[in-house]
Amino acid sequence: MKTKHLTGRPEMEAVIAKCPYCMVGMTDDAGAPYVIPMNFAYADGVVYLHSGPAGSKVRYLDARPRVCLTFSEGHELVWMHAQMACSYSMKARSVMCRGLARRVEDLEEKRRALGLMMRHYTDAPCGFSDPAVRHVLVWEVRVEEMTGRSFGLLPSEL
């Protein structure tokens, strides 16, 4: 099966829009990779993430804000010959983004980012209490680099 590089930002953004979560890669205190799934929103070249006010990821992002975000969708196991292990493959599309995570401190900016996150998951109108907005951490990652791949998908399937 052929791998295709996704070259247009709209094509890569379409992959991001279909994903229910992203994998966030950061570096822990020992310099080792630390990768976790996180809910997100994407708008205008920025990925928004949220977390509680404390914990490992907060400590890691504060100390080393460079992150790698991975989005992947459309997974389908395919094969040419069911009895031949080497003929199996996985159709999928993926996008990888790199950038710096920074805390969003302004309450209105946080409220806007949280609204974007909720719209990614539901069409229901959602509000946010002031204590909830103050308590949650919102992270902004301006995408500095975005690359994408399509694995095994035919052009008509893109």
Side-chain angles (χ1 to χ4, degrees), residues 42-61:
Y42 175 85
D44 303 319
V46 178
V47 177
Y48 296 97
L49 308 165
H50 72 89
S51 72
S56 297
K57 71 178 157 284
V58 174
R59 188 173 70 249
Y60 301 157
L61 289 174

PDB file of all heavy atoms in Angstrom, residues 42-61:
ATOM      1  N   TYR A  42      -8.916  22.909  17.886  1.00  0.00           N
ATOM      2  CA  TYR A  42      -7.990  23.471  16.909  1.00  0.00           C
ATOM      3  C   TYR A  42      -8.695  24.616  16.192  1.00  0.00           C
ATOM      4  O   TYR A  42      -9.833  24.474  15.756  1.00  0.00           O
ATOM      5  CB  TYR A  42      -7.569  22.413  15.886  1.00  0.00           C
ATOM      6  CG  TYR A  42      -6.699  22.980  14.792  1.00  0.00           C
ATOM      7  CD1 TYR A  42      -5.331  23.105  14.982  1.00  0.00           C
ATOM      8  CD2 TYR A  42      -7.241  23.423  13.594  1.00  0.00           C
ATOM      9  CE1 TYR A  42      -4.523  23.652  13.992  1.00  0.00           C
ATOM     10  CE2 TYR A  42      -6.438  23.969  12.603  1.00  0.00           C
ATOM     11  CZ  TYR A  42      -5.084  24.086  12.812  1.00  0.00           C
ATOM     12  OH  TYR A  42      -4.293  24.630  11.845  1.00  0.00           O
ATOM     13  N   ALA A  43      -8.004  25.739  16.088  1.00  0.00           N
ATOM     14  CA  ALA A  43      -8.540  26.883  15.343  1.00  0.00           C
ATOM     15  C   ALA A  43      -7.396  27.776  14.903  1.00  0.00           C
ATOM     16  O   ALA A  43      -6.511  28.107  15.706  1.00  0.00           O
ATOM     17  CB  ALA A  43      -9.529  27.678  16.203  1.00  0.00           C
ATOM     18  N   ASP A  44      -7.388  28.148  13.641  1.00  0.00           N
ATOM     19  CA  ASP A  44      -6.453  29.144  13.113  1.00  0.00           C
ATOM     20  C   ASP A  44      -4.992  28.857  13.449  1.00  0.00           C
ATOM     21  O   ASP A  44      -4.253  29.736  13.879  1.00  0.00           O
ATOM     22  CB  ASP A  44      -6.844  30.544  13.616  1.00  0.00           C
ATOM     23  CG  ASP A  44      -8.266  30.904  13.241  1.00  0.00           C
ATOM     24  OD1 ASP A  44      -8.672  30.604  12.099  1.00  0.00           O
ATOM     25  OD2 ASP A  44      -8.981  31.458  14.094  1.00  0.00           O
ATOM     26  N   GLY A  45      -4.583  27.605  13.281  1.00  0.00           N
ATOM     27  CA  GLY A  45      -3.187  27.260  13.506  1.00  0.00           C
ATOM     28  C   GLY A  45      -2.788  27.119  14.964  1.00  0.00           C
ATOM     29  O   GLY A  45      -1.600  27.094  15.286  1.00  0.00           O
ATOM     30  N   VAL A  46      -3.774  27.022  15.863  1.00  0.00           N
ATOM     31  CA  VAL A  46      -3.501  26.891  17.296  1.00  0.00           C
ATOM     32  C   VAL A  46      -4.259  25.682  17.837  1.00  0.00           C
ATOM     33  O   VAL A  46      -5.440  25.491  17.541  1.00  0.00           O
ATOM     34  CB  VAL A  46      -3.939  28.156  18.073  1.00  0.00           C
ATOM     35  CG1 VAL A  46      -3.709  27.990  19.566  1.00  0.00           C
ATOM     36  CG2 VAL A  46      -3.204  29.382  17.555  1.00  0.00           C
ATOM     37  N   VAL A  47      -3.560  24.863  18.624  1.00  0.00           N
ATOM     38  CA  VAL A  47      -4.189  23.752  19.330  1.00  0.00           C
ATOM     39  C   VAL A  47      -4.336  24.176  20.785  1.00  0.00           C
ATOM     40  O   VAL A  47      -3.385  24.673  21.395  1.00  0.00           O
ATOM     41  CB  VAL A  47      -3.337  22.464  19.243  1.00  0.00           C
ATOM     42  CG1 VAL A  47      -3.979  21.339  20.044  1.00  0.00           C
ATOM     43  CG2 VAL A  47      -3.134  22.055  17.791  1.00  0.00           C
ATOM     44  N   TYR A  48      -5.544  23.992  21.329  1.00  0.00           N
ATOM     45  CA  TYR A  48      -5.811  24.301  22.733  1.00  0.00           C
ATOM     46  C   TYR A  48      -6.001  22.990  23.483  1.00  0.00           C
ATOM     47  O   TYR A  48      -6.680  22.077  23.006  1.00  0.00           O
ATOM     48  CB  TYR A  48      -7.078  25.148  22.874  1.00  0.00           C
ATOM     49  CG  TYR A  48      -6.952  26.500  22.230  1.00  0.00           C
ATOM     50  CD1 TYR A  48      -7.430  26.728  20.946  1.00  0.00           C
ATOM     51  CD2 TYR A  48      -6.326  27.548  22.905  1.00  0.00           C
ATOM     52  CE1 TYR A  48      -7.304  27.970  20.346  1.00  0.00           C
ATOM     53  CE2 TYR A  48      -6.191  28.793  22.306  1.00  0.00           C
ATOM     54  CZ  TYR A  48      -6.683  28.996  21.034  1.00  0.00           C
ATOM     55  OH  TYR A  48      -6.548  30.223  20.439  1.00  0.00           O
ATOM     56  N   LEU A  49      -5.378  22.912  24.643  1.00  0.00           N
ATOM     57  CA  LEU A  49      -5.470  21.748  25.522  1.00  0.00           C
ATOM     58  C   LEU A  49      -5.906  22.246  26.891  1.00  0.00           C
ATOM     59  O   LEU A  49      -5.734  23.419  27.215  1.00  0.00           O
ATOM     60  CB  LEU A  49      -4.100  21.073  25.653  1.00  0.00           C
ATOM     61  CG  LEU A  49      -3.370  20.729  24.355  1.00  0.00           C
ATOM     62  CD1 LEU A  49      -1.904  20.427  24.636  1.00  0.00           C
ATOM     63  CD2 LEU A  49      -4.044  19.558  23.675  1.00  0.00           C
ATOM     64  N   HIS A  50      -6.449  21.364  27.702  1.00  0.00           N
ATOM     65  CA  HIS A  50      -6.758  21.776  29.081  1.00  0.00           C
ATOM     66  C   HIS A  50      -6.332  20.691  30.044  1.00  0.00           C
ATOM     67  O   HIS A  50      -6.194  19.522  29.670  1.00  0.00           O
ATOM     68  CB  HIS A  50      -8.245  22.118  29.252  1.00  0.00           C
ATOM     69  CG  HIS A  50      -9.149  20.935  29.240  1.00  0.00           C
ATOM     70  ND1 HIS A  50      -9.466  20.251  30.382  1.00  0.00           N
ATOM     71  CD2 HIS A  50      -9.785  20.307  28.238  1.00  0.00           C
ATOM     72  CE1 HIS A  50     -10.276  19.256  30.077  1.00  0.00           C
ATOM     73  NE2 HIS A  50     -10.475  19.267  28.776  1.00  0.00           N
ATOM     74  N   SER A  51      -6.096  21.096  31.278  1.00  0.00           N
ATOM     75  CA  SER A  51      -5.690  20.144  32.306  1.00  0.00           C
ATOM     76  C   SER A  51      -6.065  20.697  33.665  1.00  0.00           C
ATOM     77  O   SER A  51      -6.449  21.856  33.799  1.00  0.00           O
ATOM     78  CB  SER A  51      -4.172  19.896  32.237  1.00  0.00           C
ATOM     79  OG  SER A  51      -3.454  21.018  32.704  1.00  0.00           O
ATOM     80  N   GLY A  52      -5.893  19.850  34.669  1.00  0.00           N
ATOM     81  CA  GLY A  52      -6.039  20.303  36.038  1.00  0.00           C
ATOM     82  C   GLY A  52      -4.862  21.212  36.394  1.00  0.00           C
ATOM     83  O   GLY A  52      -3.894  21.322  35.630  1.00  0.00           O
ATOM     84  N   PRO A  53      -4.939  21.845  37.552  1.00  0.00           N
ATOM     85  CA  PRO A  53      -3.922  22.833  37.911  1.00  0.00           C
ATOM     86  C   PRO A  53      -2.600  22.265  38.418  1.00  0.00           C
ATOM     87  O   PRO A  53      -1.647  23.012  38.618  1.00  0.00           O
ATOM     88  CB  PRO A  53      -4.605  23.644  39.008  1.00  0.00           C
ATOM     89  CG  PRO A  53      -5.582  22.694  39.624  1.00  0.00           C
ATOM     90  CD  PRO A  53      -6.048  21.798  38.505  1.00  0.00           C
ATOM     91  N   ALA A  54      -2.512  20.952  38.608  1.00  0.00           N
ATOM     92  CA  ALA A  54      -1.275  20.358  39.126  1.00  0.00           C
ATOM     93  C   ALA A  54      -1.077  18.987  38.507  1.00  0.00           C
ATOM     94  O   ALA A  54      -1.979  18.441  37.880  1.00  0.00           O
ATOM     95  CB  ALA A  54      -1.352  20.247  40.649  1.00  0.00           C
ATOM     96  N   GLY A  55       0.118  18.458  38.683  1.00  0.00           N
ATOM     97  CA  GLY A  55       0.408  17.117  38.200  1.00  0.00           C
ATOM     98  C   GLY A  55       1.654  17.097  37.338  1.00  0.00           C
ATOM     99  O   GLY A  55       2.276  18.124  37.067  1.00  0.00           O
ATOM    100  N   SER A  56       1.998  15.897  36.899  1.00  0.00           N
ATOM    101  CA  SER A  56       3.226  15.709  36.129  1.00  0.00           C
ATOM    102  C   SER A  56       3.249  16.536  34.858  1.00  0.00           C
ATOM    103  O   SER A  56       4.230  17.215  34.564  1.00  0.00           O
ATOM    104  CB  SER A  56       3.412  14.232  35.779  1.00  0.00           C
ATOM    105  OG  SER A  56       3.557  13.471  36.944  1.00  0.00           O
ATOM    106  N   LYS A  57       2.172  16.471  34.063  1.00  0.00           N
ATOM    107  CA  LYS A  57       2.215  17.181  32.783  1.00  0.00           C
ATOM    108  C   LYS A  57       2.348  18.684  32.984  1.00  0.00           C
ATOM    109  O   LYS A  57       3.023  19.349  32.205  1.00  0.00           O
ATOM    110  CB  LYS A  57       1.019  16.833  31.900  1.00  0.00           C
ATOM    111  CG  LYS A  57      -0.310  17.363  32.336  1.00  0.00           C
ATOM    112  CD  LYS A  57      -1.381  16.956  31.321  1.00  0.00           C
ATOM    113  CE  LYS A  57      -2.753  16.954  31.912  1.00  0.00           C
ATOM    114  NZ  LYS A  57      -3.073  15.849  32.771  1.00  0.00           N
ATOM    115  N   VAL A  58       1.760  19.226  34.032  1.00  0.00           N
ATOM    116  CA  VAL A  58       1.882  20.664  34.307  1.00  0.00           C
ATOM    117  C   VAL A  58       3.343  21.000  34.617  1.00  0.00           C
ATOM    118  O   VAL A  58       3.903  21.949  34.074  1.00  0.00           O
ATOM    119  CB  VAL A  58       0.956  21.076  35.473  1.00  0.00           C
ATOM    120  CG1 VAL A  58       1.189  22.525  35.867  1.00  0.00           C
ATOM    121  CG2 VAL A  58      -0.509  20.845  35.098  1.00  0.00           C
ATOM    122  N   ARG A  59       3.958  20.197  35.458  1.00  0.00           N
ATOM    123  CA  ARG A  59       5.366  20.404  35.803  1.00  0.00           C
ATOM    124  C   ARG A  59       6.256  20.290  34.571  1.00  0.00           C
ATOM    125  O   ARG A  59       7.123  21.132  34.330  1.00  0.00           O
ATOM    126  CB  ARG A  59       5.782  19.398  36.880  1.00  0.00           C
ATOM    127  CG  ARG A  59       7.156  19.649  37.451  1.00  0.00           C
ATOM    128  CD  ARG A  59       7.488  18.743  38.624  1.00  0.00           C
ATOM    129  NE  ARG A  59       7.689  17.359  38.202  1.00  0.00           N
ATOM    130  CZ  ARG A  59       6.857  16.351  38.500  1.00  0.00           C
ATOM    131  NH1 ARG A  59       5.762  16.575  39.204  1.00  0.00           N
ATOM    132  NH2 ARG A  59       7.113  15.126  38.091  1.00  0.00           N
ATOM    133  N   TYR A  60       6.008  19.268  33.747  1.00  0.00           N
ATOM    134  CA  TYR A  60       6.832  19.058  32.554  1.00  0.00           C
ATOM    135  C   TYR A  60       6.662  20.192  31.537  1.00  0.00           C
ATOM    136  O   TYR A  60       7.633  20.672  30.965  1.00  0.00           O
ATOM    137  CB  TYR A  60       6.503  17.725  31.884  1.00  0.00           C
ATOM    138  CG  TYR A  60       6.695  16.506  32.759  1.00  0.00           C
ATOM    139  CD1 TYR A  60       6.017  15.331  32.480  1.00  0.00           C
ATOM    140  CD2 TYR A  60       7.540  16.514  33.872  1.00  0.00           C
ATOM    141  CE1 TYR A  60       6.181  14.205  33.272  1.00  0.00           C
ATOM    142  CE2 TYR A  60       7.698  15.398  34.664  1.00  0.00           C
ATOM    143  CZ  TYR A  60       7.017  14.244  34.365  1.00  0.00           C
ATOM    144  OH  TYR A  60       7.170  13.136  35.145  1.00  0.00           O
ATOM    145  N   LEU A  61       5.413  20.600  31.301  1.00  0.00           N
ATOM    146  CA  LEU A  61       5.168  21.668  30.313  1.00  0.00           C
ATOM    147  C   LEU A  61       5.717  23.005  30.783  1.00  0.00           C
ATOM    148  O   LEU A  61       6.204  23.792  29.971  1.00  0.00           O
ATOM    149  CB  LEU A  61       3.676  21.780  30.002  1.00  0.00           C
ATOM    150  CG  LEU A  61       3.085  20.628  29.193  1.00  0.00           C
ATOM    151  CD1 LEU A  61       1.571  20.772  29.083  1.00  0.00           C
ATOM    152  CD2 LEU A  61       3.723  20.521  27.826  1.00  0.00           C
TER     153      LEU A  61
END
